[in-house]
Amino acid sequence: MKKILVTGGAGFIGSHVTELLCNRGYAVTVVDDLRFGYKKFVDRRALFRKHSIEDLKAMEKALEGIDAVMHLAASSIISVSYQKPLEYFENNFTNGLTLLEAMRKTGVTKIIYSSTSSVYGEPTKTPISEDMPTNPLHPYAASKLAFEYALQAYYYSFGIESVSLRYYNVYGPRDEQKPPTRAIPMWIDAVLRNKPVPWYWQGRQIRDYVYVKDIAQAHLDVLNLKGIHCFNIGSGKGVLMKDVFKMLEKIVGRKLKTKDMGERLGDPMRSFADIRKIRHAVGWVPNVSLEEGLAKTLAYYT
C-alpha cells in the first residue's frame, strides 16, 4: 500500500499527515480546495489537486491508482456550526458521501477518517471509552458522527474498510484556524502580543491534549487494519485548563493576565480518553508530553 490520497492535506492536521507519509516513502496526492487550508503547508513531495471533494468526477480522477484514502477535509469550527448547520452537514456528511461514491466507483477500499471526541457530548464518566454512548451536542459533532454511520453502511454493503479516529484536543504547529477558537493557539497569540489570555469557564474544564505529530502517526499505524474500526486518539490523561495555563506561564517565564470569556456553548466540562483500545490494536501511544508540545508550539508561533 504505497499510494495514499489525503483530503484536507493543506490543513492543520492533514499537512502533518502528508509530511509523515512522504517521509515514510509513500506517494501522496493531496486534495484540498483551500477554503480552510494553505498551499504553503502542502509538502512539496506530494501531488496537489485544488478542488473540493464534492466534485465527483474530479475525485474519481484523483483516486485512479490510489490504495487508500485519509479523509481530513471538513468544516470544523464548533461555534460556526451553530450559525451554519446546513453547511456543516453538507460538507462533513454529504460531500463525504460523494467521496465514498468515488471510492466505490474506482475500487478504492480503504479509508482512514478524521472524526472527533465531541460525538460523545457530555460524558457520563471519564475516561471515555469507545463503547460509551454517543450524544452529539452541536451540528459539527452530529455531522461527523453521521459520516461514521455512512462508513459502517459502505463497509457492509460495498466492502470499503474504514478506521474512524476520534481526536481529542489536538494542538501544535500550523494551527491557523480562521477564526481561531482552539485554546492553545489563542493563548499563544495573546502571549506573543502581550495581551490578556482569553479563557472560558475560568479554566475549570478538564481536557485531553494530544500533539499533532502523534495524531499523524496514528493514521499510519492503523493503515493496515482489516475491517471497520473506531479508536479514541488522545493522551489518555485529563488536565485542568488552569494547569495548562500555569504550564504556559512556566514556559514563557512570566506571569500572564487572563480575560474571562464566561461560558461557551457546546463545551463539556470533562473530556479525556481511554486509549487502551488503539494501544492493544496497533501499539499506538502518544510520545510528546504536553509541556514539550507546548514549548514546540510556542517556538513555531514565535
Side-chain angles (χ1 to χ4, degrees):
M1 190 176 293
K2 295 297 290 183
K3 295 182 179 180
I4 310 295
L5 185 143
V6 180
T7 71
F12 168 37
I13 303 172
S15 65
H16 285 277
V17 170
T18 299
E19 180 182 26
L20 183 58
L21 285 166
C22 290
N23 289 344
R24 299 289 174 83
Y26 289 89
V28 183
T29 297
V30 168
V31 170
D32 199 304
D33 62 9
L34 300 182
R35 275 194 296 165
F36 308 114
Y38 298 85
K39 177 71 182 299
K40 65 183 180 180
F41 290 162
V42 179
D43 195 291
R44 293 184 179 182
R45 294 167 291 181
L47 172 65
F48 177 67
R49 300 176 64 94
K50 184 185 176 183
H51 59 78
S52 170
I53 62 170
E54 69 180 328
D55 187 333
L56 179 60
K57 293 300 181 184
M59 287 308 304
E60 288 178 10
K61 186 172 180 61
L63 285 163
E64 291 175 2
I66 293 295
D67 296 310
V69 173
M70 296 190 176
H71 178 36
L72 296 98
S75 300
S76 61
I77 301 176
I78 291 173
S79 60
V80 176
S81 79
Y82 285 106
Q83 302 161 18
K84 302 177 180 179
L86 180 59
E87 178 183 307
Y88 270 62
F89 278 99
E90 286 177 341
N91 197 29
N92 296 348
F93 179 65
T94 306
N95 292 350
L97 293 181
T98 301
L99 169 62
L100 288 176
E101 276 297 281
M103 291 175 62
R104 184 172 69 88
K105 291 183 176 183
T106 54
V108 180
T109 59
K110 171 77 71 172
I111 180 171
I112 313 301
Y113 170 51
S114 166
S115 191
T116 171
S117 63
S118 62
V119 300
Y120 298 111
E122 187 71 58
T124 55
K125 63 177 182 178
T126 49
I128 302 167
S129 60
E130 292 85 349
D131 59 359
M132 287 178 61
T134 52
N135 184 33
L137 300 179
H138 40 72
Y140 167 66
S143 68
K144 300 293 277 187
L145 182 60
F147 190 70
E148 285 192 24
Y149 284 119
L151 290 175
Q152 183 173 318
Y154 270 74
Y155 172 66
Y156 290 111
S157 300
F158 310 116
I160 294 179
E161 299 177 321
S162 66
V163 181
S164 295
L165 301 178
R166 292 175 174 172
Y167 305 158
Y168 281 70
N169 294 80
V170 189
Y171 71 101
R174 303 182 203 148
D175 187 355
E176 302 292 344
Q177 187 185 55
K178 303 296 182 186
T181 63
R182 289 185 275 264
I184 286 177
M186 280 199 302
W187 289 5
I188 288 176
D189 181 68
V191 168
L192 295 178
R193 296 176 187 275
N194 291 314
K195 293 183 176 180
V197 172
W199 68 356
Y200 294 89
W201 302 96
Q202 296 184 333
R204 299 194 308 272
Q205 319 100 300
I206 293 178
R207 291 291 181 265
D208 184 336
Y209 277 96
V210 56
Y211 192 60
V212 65
K213 290 187 182 297
D214 284 330
I215 290 274
Q217 183 61 53
H219 286 74
L220 271 71
D221 288 350
V222 301
L223 187 55
N224 293 316
L225 288 176
K226 300 297 183 183
I228 183 168
H229 303 271
C230 174
F231 297 114
N232 288 332
I233 304 295
S235 70
K237 300 174 183 177
V239 58
L240 268 171
M241 292 304 294
K242 284 182 179 180
D243 292 335
V244 179
F245 179 79
K246 291 175 183 177
M247 201 175 294
L248 185 59
E249 283 188 321
K250 178 183 175 183
I251 292 167
V252 299
R254 59 186 170 88
K255 285 288 185 181
L256 302 173
K257 294 181 179 180
T258 61
K259 180 181 179 181
D260 186 2
M261 304 294 287
E263 301 178 358
R264 185 163 63 172
L265 192 64
D267 271 358
M269 288 304 295
R270 296 172 58 87
S271 178
F272 63 97
D274 182 338
I275 59 172
R276 289 177 295 177
K277 185 178 177 184
I278 189 169
R279 185 172 69 238
H280 293 159
V282 296
W284 179 87
V285 290
N287 291 309
V288 179
S289 70
L290 180 54
E291 186 166 355
E292 179 187 356
L294 279 175
K296 289 175 180 288
T297 306
L298 178 63
Y300 167 80
Y301 284 106
T302 302

